[in-house]
Amino acid sequence: MQATLPCLVLALLFSACAPSAPPATGPGGAGSSLSAAQRAAIGRKIWQNESGGKVDGLTHWNVGEEFPSLGIGHAIWYPAGFNGRFFETWPAFVRFATDRGVTVPAVGRKPDCPWPNRDAFYRDFKGAEMTGLRNWLAKNVTIQTDFIIARSRGALSKVLAAAPAGDRARVEANYRKVATTSNGTYALIDYVNFKGDGTNTSERYNGQGWGLLQVLQEMRDVPSGQPAAAEFAAAAKRRLDLRLKNSPPARGESRWRAGWHNRCDTYARPL
């Protein structure tokens, strides 16, 4: 699931971020001061994380899941009649794009996913509608990246509001510590897209969540900078392992453990 980007892309990702000038977090959270080149490289990195940077991976339906995952960030889209525990990100993306004057193909603007199950989805994989949607997604990476970064920026205030009062100062301090490095900023942006902000109470197994809030709570006390980025990666793996332990056996989520860990490992590596 995880692949290494070419050195050129990594250089682009935070080309302006020398050790003496860590990325600014700002009141809006991670990513609020990124350049266009940095944002573009983050989009490529997330696409690489989700589907190896392949165009075919822009329309995907995992075995054992009740919904497809679309775009560079694998946004969830529910078929009619299904209401899952996870936040449905595809309709939110369509609203985001439309509000900014970007027209999503007609099939993507339908109120529900038009493919009722995985078999129907893959029967139509090379059909005109899905091929057109996939090609549009490949040509419109910028608006998808902007949506992912916007979600991450909005996550900090939601996380602090949802955190127990006694945890808020520590949660915010951990967020700021992680955000002082380029790879930490990337981690905060990617993780919200990857596993959510942790504030949705339905996104839990046995009452235990795995989103950004829970990772920040899970972090051990370490200094700012690379130690914080490395601890964020380790805490994310611990929370994801807890998710696997609590997950319904029928979902077979343990098959994703290696890929999830590989993705988290990228957060600890200086870019």
Side-chain angles (χ1 to χ4, degrees), residues 1 50 60-69 74 118 121-122 251 255-256 260:
M1 186 161 133
E50 292 289 0
H60 181 74
W61 193 311
N62 277 324
V63 173
E65 291 190 328
E66 303 87 352
F67 49 82
S69 304
H74 274 189
R118 189 174 186 273
F121 183 87
Y122 280 106
R251 285 183 56 82
R255 70 189 186 277
W256 295 326
W260 287 358

Side-chain angles (χ1 to χ4, degrees), residues 84-123:
R85 69 170 66 238
F86 307 112
F87 177 67
E88 192 181 14
T89 39
W90 178 257
F93 164 68
V94 172
R95 290 191 296 271
F96 179 90
T98 302
D99 288 347
R100 284 151 185 79
V102 178
T103 303
V104 178
V107 65
R109 301 196 306 271
K110 293 184 178 182
D112 301 298
C113 173
W115 299 282
N117 53 55
R118 189 174 186 273
D119 287 344
F121 183 87
Y122 280 106
R123 280 197 301 271

Side-chain angles (χ1 to χ4, degrees), residues 119-138:
D119 287 344
F121 183 87
Y122 280 106
R123 280 197 301 271
D124 196 33
F125 194 78
K126 297 297 183 182
E129 283 190 323
M130 200 184 308
T131 298
L133 179 60
R134 198 161 47 241
N135 290 339
W136 181 89
L137 288 163

Side-chain angles (χ1 to χ4, degrees), residues 22 64 79 91 97 174 182 199 208 230 238 265:
N174 284 341
S182 57
T199 65
Q208 298 291 326
R238 292 194 296 270
D265 285 341

Side-chain angles (χ1 to χ4, degrees), residues 62 64-69 74-78 82-91 151 193-196 200-205 208-211 243 247-248 251 253 256 260:
N62 277 324
E65 291 190 328
E66 303 87 352
F67 49 82
S69 304
H74 274 189
I76 291 170
W77 195 15
Y78 290 147
F82 179 77
N83 184 24
R85 69 170 66 238
F86 307 112
F87 177 67
E88 192 181 14
T89 39
W90 178 257
R151 279 194 73 208
N193 178 71
F194 179 35
K195 292 301 174 194
N200 184 351
T201 56
S202 70
E203 292 184 330
R204 294 176 189 177
Y205 293 148
Q208 298 291 326
W210 50 79
R243 166 176 167 162
S247 65
R251 285 183 56 82
E253 293 192 5
W256 295 326
W260 287 358

